Each structure stands twice: as structure tokens, then as C-alpha cells.
Amino acid sequence: MNTELAGKEYPPTEPYLVGREKIREFAGAVQASNPVHFNVDAATAAGYDDLVAPPTFTIVVQQRGLDQLLADDSAGIELHRVVHGDQRFNIVRPILAGDELTVKFRVATVRPLGGNAMVSTEADILDAAGVLVATSYATLVVGGDE
Amino acid sequence: MTFELTEGELIAERDVHFTRDSLVRYAGASGDFNSIHYRDDIAEQVGLPGVLAHGMLTMGAAVQPVIDHFGDPSRIVDYRVRFTRPVVVDAEAGADLHVAATAAKDLGDGTWRIDLQVTVDGRAVLAKAQVVVSVA
């Protein structure tokens, strides 16, 4: 893949509107049981404006940023050669139903490793007011050409 | 509510079971439709030992015992993992994971680092799985 990609920033994505049913579906899939993910009354009783997304729901929004990289012909990355190496979320506040989130995605570093490339990416998740909600850091191991 | 923790204290433990249904459900919920998570033939073609759980499913499920212990998902302020060993999900038997969460370090400012040990058949599938939790 193209190692000159380090430092590349992509334009902010179109807003992602977080829906209640999506939160319920995701929380069920990760085997969450806290009622603030499922029950609006429980969420408001706990002091939230609406349903609360599980911490790793951030990946659903971050994916919109990653899609920009995968669609970037100058990057030369094929999805079936990509393995998720590590993942970190730094969370400023939980994502809530009703949030409209945009992603500012960038490639931090590209390091060759054997025939592969270790691609470190960073994604800022911003709310409708432009305030930071979370930052997601992912390292992708991109396999070389066969 | 403030939590008093002791370094090295086991705060939560849980057995987690994944089936192929779990993977299809997570694919739909997350939008990650990589076919190595539901097709044996494709998994074999790319040299994998079988259909694998999404790393993010393992990461998402492994933090649940911590959330349940502290009672509120917004106490999680940072969460990281390294994916070190694939979780193979058999079509019939599924996969059994064991999660153990230990209080590792008082980071000051009312936060603690909780370390997760996530194993399948006694072997770790995640490394450096660390959750920073607001305990104040």
C-alpha cells in the first residue's frame, strides 16, 4: 500500500443520526444488560436525555471515517487484506440517541512490517455543535500483494 | 456513588457464549459484513482456522461485566484492546469465552485502570485489554 498516506486527513463525514432502535440492536448484540441502553424511562431516571449507547458503539460511527480510507484509490487498500490489530476509545461523553455525529478521520502513521503495513488511524467523533464526543484509535494490519 | 477498589481485586467475572447467530446479529447491528464472520468457505479460502467472531464483538462483550459492576456505562472513559488470537466460532458448539476483570491501578483524578483477561480454553484472545473507569 501507499506509505505516503501518513498524515492524510479526510473531510468530515456526513452526519450520522443515532437512533434508539440502533442502540437497542447494538446493545443486544454485545450482550449488554444495563437498562439505560434499552429503556427510555430508565435512561432518563439515570439522568440522560435519551437511550445511552454502549462504549464500543463508537465503532459504528468511526466506520464512516474508515470507509473514506478504503474508498481512497491512492491508499490502495483492499478490505479482505485488512486485519484489526488494536483499538482504543477515549470517551468524553457517552453517545445518546438523537446525537448527530460527524467523523474527522486521519491516518497517523504507516509503518512497514514484513510484507505488511501497520496503519495507525485516528478518528474524532464530533456532535452537531462540533464538540468532541470521543476519539477512536485503530491500528490496521494491511497485508501486502501476493 | 464512589467505589473503593483494592489493587489486584477481582471485581467481575463472566462466561460469554458466542454462536453463529451472535455473529450474524453483531454484523447487522454494527454494519461489519466481512464474510469471514459467517462463511466457512471464505474463511478457509483466506487461510483462517474457521469462521471468526468480530474482534469488536469480543471487545464489546468483554466490557459488559465492568459496566454491570459499576452500574453506569458513562463511567467508562477509556477502553483499549489488542487483538492477539482469533476467536473461532464453531457452527454447532459456538465459542466459550471467559472474562475476568481486575482492579489494576489507581490513576488518580478519581479513575482506576481495570484490566480484562479474556480467554478461550485458557488462552488469551486479547492483550493489553484495559478499561479506565471513573470511580468517583
Side-chain angles (χ1 to χ4, degrees):
Chain A
M1 68 165 285
N2 177 7
T3 53
E4 286 172 12
L5 218 59
K8 181 161 185 178
E9 292 195 26
Y10 291 86
T13 56
E14 289 297 309
Y16 176 98
L17 175 59
V18 180
R20 283 179 182 168
E21 298 309 336
K22 196 68 192 176
I23 287 180
R24 290 184 175 117
E25 188 186 353
F26 188 89
V30 296
Q31 305 185 8
S33 56
N34 194 301
V36 300
H37 302 309
F38 301 98
N39 184 305
V40 177
D41 290 340
T44 51
Y48 298 104
D49 290 338
D50 211 311
L51 292 187
V52 182
T56 62
F57 183 80
T58 315
I59 198 75
V60 176
V61 186
Q62 181 204 332
Q63 183 70 37
R64 305 294 167 109
L66 180 63
D67 287 345
Q68 293 176 304
L69 174 64
L70 295 173
D72 183 346
D73 287 338
S74 77
I77 297 176
E78 295 170 284
L79 180 60
H80 69 274
R81 295 188 194 280
V82 176
V83 174
H84 204 170
D86 61 45
Q87 177 65 47
R88 175 184 173 204
F89 301 110
N90 188 263
I91 299 162
V92 179
R93 69 154 173 92
I95 292 172
L96 303 178
D99 274 333
E100 286 192 51
L101 303 172
T102 57
V103 185
K104 283 167 79 176
F105 189 87
R106 57 192 174 272
V107 177
T109 60
V110 180
R111 288 183 296 122
L113 184 79
N116 300 332
M118 302 280 284
V119 183
S120 298
T121 68
E122 299 176 0
D124 286 335
I125 315 292
L126 307 166
D127 67 15
V131 178
L132 187 67
V133 173
T135 304
S136 175
Y137 304 86
T139 303
L140 309 175
V141 184
V142 181
D145 296 333
E146 280 160 8
Chain B
M1 183 174 175
T2 302
F3 289 86
E4 298 293 336
L5 302 179
T6 309
E7 214 171 288
E9 173 192 2
L10 180 70
I11 60 163
E13 210 171 0
R14 183 175 297 176
D15 291 314
V16 176
H17 185 64
F18 292 157
T19 61
R20 291 284 173 90
D21 293 6
S22 315
L23 307 192
V24 172
R25 193 184 237 257
Y26 185 79
S30 68
D32 181 344
F33 292 105
N34 191 331
S35 51
I36 63 166
H37 303 302
Y38 55 88
R39 279 186 59 176
D40 294 273
D41 57 332
I42 303 248
E44 191 182 333
Q45 271 172 34
V46 296
L48 296 171
V51 162
L52 307 182
H54 306 74
M56 288 305 306
L57 170 58
T58 302
M59 184 179 186
V63 76
Q64 295 305 323
V66 178
I67 292 173
D68 289 347
H69 178 78
F70 292 99
D72 183 348
S74 71
R75 286 184 179 271
I76 310 294
V77 296
D78 198 285
Y79 181 26
R80 64 164 65 182
V81 308
R82 184 173 297 158
F83 303 103
T84 49
R85 186 184 293 276
V87 175
V88 178
V89 180
D90 183 81
E92 287 178 3
D96 290 295
L97 292 81
H98 184 75
V99 180
T102 308
K105 196 174 195 302
D106 184 352
L107 302 176
D109 301 333
T111 63
W112 268 74
R113 195 187 89 211
I114 309 296
D115 288 357
L116 303 179
Q117 273 197 309
V118 183
T119 55
V120 173
D121 294 331
R123 296 199 293 185
V125 296
L126 301 179
K128 207 181 175 188
Q130 302 177 342
V131 192
V132 178
V133 177
S134 170
V135 297

